[in-house]
Amino acid sequence: KLVLPTNSRSSGSTAFYLSGDGGYVFKEIPGREFRVLERMIKDYKEYVKGHRDTLLTPLVGLYILTPTPPTTGPVRYLLVQGASVPLLTPGTVYDLKGSTVGRVSSSQPLKDLNLIEETSCELRDGVEQWGIRLGARKKRRLMRALERDVEWLRER
């Protein structure tokens, strides 16, 4: 069962909806993205299923909805499982909005200002370099997964 907020818009001005349990995201996508995903969805689903450490979000399906009566053209949607990264077990959960106004919390989920306070920052050549602390083993796993995912996508 989907809970469909009426005013949820991504930065690209497309609608997106979350399921009540946060397990699924239903997102409006442009026709060109739909066509690209349509060509690769079978391979994509097989890749995600076969690579437990992938950082790619599992796709459930692609849908085209046509209003009746047709007042606009068809609207294309992508249904994905909620974003999670199995190889990284969260020790701390953040609710990030990209703003620092009123964005601090004393309990989880923490907010944007908490993340800024708790991540490492170094000044290199006059430029701030931000980082997330990972142990060596998790960093290797994360980098391997990222490199494998990028290579797989590049081949498509």
Side-chain angles (χ1 to χ4, degrees):
K1 180 178 177 182
L2 287 176
V3 175
L4 305 176
T6 57
N7 61 352
S8 291
R9 293 271 170 194
S10 68
S11 60
S13 192
T14 58
F16 67 96
Y17 311 98
L18 294 174
S19 63
D21 64 359
Y24 295 93
V25 177
F26 196 59
K27 182 181 185 296
E28 181 183 344
I29 60 174
R32 65 187 176 284
E33 285 181 34
F34 186 92
R35 289 185 292 280
V36 167
L37 288 169
E38 191 174 36
R39 284 191 300 269
M40 66 186 288
I41 192 167
K42 183 179 177 189
D43 290 340
Y44 184 102
K45 289 173 89 169
E46 287 175 12
Y47 176 82
V48 170
K49 186 177 180 182
H51 294 87
R52 185 176 62 89
D53 284 350
T54 185
L55 301 175
L56 299 177
T57 302
L59 296 178
V60 176
L62 296 167
Y63 303 90
I64 298 175
L65 303 177
T66 304
T68 307
T71 54
T72 64
V75 182
R76 291 155 184 87
Y77 287 95
L78 167 67
L79 180 62
V80 298
Q81 287 182 0
S84 66
V85 180
L87 68 103
L88 296 175
T89 305
T92 306
V93 177
Y94 293 91
D95 172 20
L96 303 176
K97 302 289 186 215
S99 170
T100 56
V101 177
R103 302 293 301 159
V104 67
S105 176
S106 59
S107 62
Q108 288 196 36
L110 299 174
K111 308 292 182 183
D112 299 65
L113 286 172
N114 300 109
L115 180 65
I116 290 170
E117 290 171 5
E118 295 176 15
T119 53
S120 61
C121 179
E122 297 177 17
L123 196 59
R124 289 188 200 154
D125 299 323
V127 177
E128 287 183 347
Q129 302 291 318
W130 289 88
I132 297 173
R133 293 180 209 103
L134 292 175
R137 185 172 165 260
K138 282 192 177 184
K139 180 180 178 181
R140 281 192 304 273
R141 284 181 69 193
L142 177 64
M143 293 309 296
R144 273 196 310 266
L146 181 59
E147 289 165 359
R148 186 178 53 240
D149 290 350
V150 167
E151 183 59 32
W152 184 86
L153 288 167
R154 187 178 289 135
E155 292 172 359
R156 302 299 142 311

